[in-house]
Amino acid sequence: MNFLLRLAVLFGCLFLASCDGDPYSDFGCIAPESHPAVAHARSLTTKQLETIYSETQKLSDTLVPESYEAQFMKPEIPETLNFLSAELIRVYRSEGPYIILVNCFDERIELRVSASGAPEKRITLSWAEPTNENPYATGSQVLWETNNDA
């Protein structure tokens, strides 16, 4: 019994030690505005943001008529978007594409791209900003916007 107790304590310490490192990675990660992915998204150039918009619209065009959504995992993301280091891109027929930069269980850092028929071409960055009243609250910032006629 003493051996099992020691083994349990050892595994418990190893588990807790793995959580003490970088709060932005591994089990229990967090995705607040201070996350490095937010700074990376904010540093994107206008040209890169235009590329994100055009490439995700091309992905939207690949939806077959009977499909509501499509998902593109890391290996399927076009090379032209490698600068994002995105985890996945989802394309919804009704909402337009969004890019998950960081996925921490219920928290995400993502770029929402307006649908092709929207009045404005827009890319919005969002991050987790939970409060006691609303644990799923998010913060957001429009990174790029232009008239859809442009």
Side-chain angles (χ1 to χ4, degrees), residues 28-77:
C29 66
I30 56 174
E33 186 176 8
S34 61
H35 193 287
V38 171
H40 174 68
R42 287 177 171 157
S43 74
L44 296 172
T45 66
T46 301
K47 179 73 175 150
Q48 288 173 316
L49 292 165
E50 289 169 350
T51 298
I52 292 167
Y53 182 85
S54 64
E55 290 297 318
T56 56
Q57 296 308 322
K58 288 178 192 175
L59 292 174
S60 293
D61 293 342
T62 67
L63 276 177
V64 293
E66 46 294 327
S67 178
Y68 172 73
E69 62 104 7
Q71 183 167 281
F72 302 88
M73 302 300 283
K74 259 186 188 182
E76 303 164 315
I77 295 174

